[in-house]
Amino acid sequence: MTRILLIDDDEKLGDLLKAYFQRFDMQLDAATLPSVGLAKIQRDKPDLVILDVMLPEMDGFEVCRTIRKTSSVPVVMLTARSAETDKVLGLELGADDYVTKPFSITELLARVRAVLRRTGAGALKAAADVMRIGDIEIDFKLHQARRGKVRIE
């Protein structure tokens, strides 16, 4: 199952997206504060982040900048800020797509799927947790590879 993290201070939006994305085998978790969202990225390793720009604590541009210091997780900005300069800034800071509010939920889903396809995020997990090729075993969940009983570094 694809895991998505929404960082947006609108709790109702989180509830709406959670119910909608679940129909498409996607699990959505939400954080209303950037600090909580950043901690969840480090701890839970989501497959994709949907990020608002106008947030308490720090704006979404700063959150995106912070994410990019330690992670390559795909980021889709979802915000009411629709000026060209905001879009360009979001993309230049490392966002993979930029969607403006009000938005179509079906378009957001399509963009999320497109980013996941382009980045390959979640692809290995969807295939299998463990893959065996000859005497080599790759455990994607544990991020380990072994040949027989010997761990490959």
Side-chain angles (χ1 to χ4, degrees), residues 26-44:
M26 296 181 179
Q27 177 185 358
L28 186 125
D29 188 16
T32 56
L33 294 173
S35 58
V36 173
L38 290 168
K40 285 183 180 206
I41 291 168
Q42 293 300 311
R43 183 185 67 234
D44 301 336

Side-chain angles (χ1 to χ4, degrees), residues 1-132:
M1 178 176 284
T2 301
R3 294 174 305 124
I4 298 171
L5 174 63
L6 171 70
I7 304 175
D8 193 307
D9 58 346
D10 183 349
E11 288 183 35
K12 290 181 182 177
L13 177 61
D15 294 340
L16 171 74
L17 292 179
K18 186 176 200 171
Y20 187 76
F21 279 51
Q22 189 171 23
R23 296 182 355 195
F24 299 93
D25 200 31
M26 296 181 179
Q27 177 185 358
L28 186 125
D29 188 16
T32 56
L33 294 173
S35 58
V36 173
L38 290 168
K40 285 183 180 206
I41 291 168
Q42 293 300 311
R43 183 185 67 234
D44 301 336
K45 309 280 190 253
D47 298 307
L48 182 134
V49 174
I50 299 174
L51 176 61
D52 190 11
V53 171
M54 295 181 286
L55 294 165
E57 297 182 338
M58 68 177 90
D59 70 29
F61 298 127
E62 186 60 33
V63 175
C64 189
R65 196 178 285 119
T66 302
I67 290 169
R68 285 295 168 249
K69 288 179 184 174
T70 60
S71 176
S72 61
V73 65
V75 175
V76 174
M77 305 290 280
L78 178 65
T79 178
R81 298 206 22 195
S82 61
E84 181 181 15
T85 54
D86 291 325
K87 293 176 187 178
V88 170
L89 179 59
L91 295 168
E92 290 292 328
L93 289 173
D96 297 279
D97 203 349
Y98 195 103
V99 180
T100 57
K101 297 176 185 177
F103 65 97
S104 158
I105 197 166
T106 54
E107 180 184 353
L108 177 62
L109 175 65
R111 288 175 178 269
V112 163
R113 285 178 163 170
V115 168
L116 289 168
R117 263 193 320 273
R118 269 195 321 270
T119 61
L124 294 178
K125 282 190 266 178
D129 286 338
V130 178
M131 180 186 295
R132 288 177 184 82

